[in-house]
Amino acid sequence: MESKLKICGLREAANIAAVAELQPDYMGFIFYPQSPRCISEVSAELIKYVPSSIKTTGVFVNEELKKVVADVIRYNLKAVQLHGHEDVAYCHALAATGATIIKAFGIGEDFDFEQLKAYEPVVDYFLFDTQTPVHGGSGKVFDWTLLAKYTLDKRYFLSGGIGLQQVETLKQLNDPRLYAIDVNSKFEQAPGLKDVAQLKEFITLMRN
């Protein structure tokens, strides 16, 4: 698998441990209260025990900056994914924590890629997801041909409804800026509970 793998939306102890054994590059934990995959404070304590080789990622949506900084420190988060309307100054301030900054954008027919230029100097990666009013987790794939309008050099995560049926198409993508594949809802038995067998199959297919 040339691209990195991020498995997002984990919240249950045994499932977190089982997914960690798959050794994805990133594991995402959602700190957005309105999400059905929002992690509890009790379960969030387990993040600190994920092997250090995995970049634990906190996902936030329009959260107060001081709360995000506090969570980065408390749970030893290695990356932060911002899925709301966080501005450039917010991203710049958060970068002072030393965490990797991933700024997510929902992509649709009317998305203005020009707005990304201002963010390019202050974030480590972009994440392109399906445009949805609920800030991700829609289970829907957006039209990847829209990425032809993306002209910057900044590398990105590709997200939005990716499942086993997208494997062959993913393999055909030829964009050196594609840094990581982000999977979530298509590999679930229930919101926040990942199907480890399906994840194993995905990893195997992507590597072969």
Side-chain angles (χ1 to χ4, degrees):
M1 182 185 289
E2 293 186 9
S3 298
K4 305 288 186 184
L5 174 64
K6 176 171 171 281
I7 300 173
C8 198
L10 298 148
R11 68 176 190 183
E12 299 190 18
N15 200 226
I16 291 171
V19 169
E21 288 184 6
L22 300 179
Q23 298 183 313
D25 302 284
Y26 292 78
M27 286 174 64
F29 304 91
I30 298 175
F31 289 82
Y32 179 48
Q34 282 91 317
S35 171
R37 300 170 183 86
C38 184
I39 194 165
S40 69
E41 283 195 26
V42 173
S43 292
E45 292 293 335
L46 301 170
I47 296 172
K48 293 181 284 190
Y49 300 101
V50 171
S52 59
S53 59
I54 299 171
K55 292 190 176 181
T56 51
T57 305
V59 180
F60 299 87
V61 180
N62 301 324
E63 184 58 82
E64 286 187 22
L65 180 62
K66 63 181 181 180
K67 170 71 164 55
V68 180
V69 171
D71 284 344
V72 168
I73 296 168
R74 178 176 179 180
Y75 304 117
N76 193 27
L77 297 172
K78 298 180 179 69
V80 173
Q81 180 177 316
L82 302 172
H83 234 289
H85 304 295
E86 301 86 4
D87 61 17
V88 173
Y90 184 108
C91 296
H92 181 71
L94 191 55
T97 64
T100 296
I101 307 300
I102 305 164
K103 183 68 185 81
F105 293 91
I107 307 300
E109 291 288 343
D110 58 349
F111 183 76
D112 179 15
F113 282 91
E114 286 295 308
Q115 65 183 291
L116 302 181
K117 288 183 178 179
Y119 286 90
E120 188 177 22
V122 298
V123 304
D124 296 286
Y125 303 99
F126 291 125
L127 182 146
F128 298 136
D129 198 357
T130 304
Q131 198 172 69
T132 166
V134 293
H135 306 287
S138 69
K140 297 178 180 178
V141 180
F142 70 90
D143 180 1
W144 293 346
T145 64
L146 293 172
L147 294 177
K149 300 177 182 178
Y150 176 56
T151 60
L152 303 179
D153 293 328
K154 182 72 66 178
R155 301 188 79 185
Y156 63 88
F157 289 66
L158 183 61
S159 188
I162 294 173
L164 289 169
Q165 62 269 40
Q166 275 75 44
V167 168
E168 292 308 315
T169 308
L170 285 169
K171 286 183 173 183
Q172 293 169 19
L173 292 178
N174 185 25
D175 185 349
R177 299 169 302 176
L178 175 55
Y179 172 72
I181 305 300
D182 180 34
V183 301
N184 188 346
S185 60
K186 289 296 184 180
F187 291 92
E188 288 186 326
Q189 296 170 330
L193 181 65
K194 297 298 179 279
D195 187 319
V196 176
Q198 282 196 2
L199 285 169
K200 283 182 179 177
E201 183 180 356
F202 180 75
I203 291 169
T204 299
L205 290 172
M206 287 295 292
R207 286 176 176 164
N208 293 332

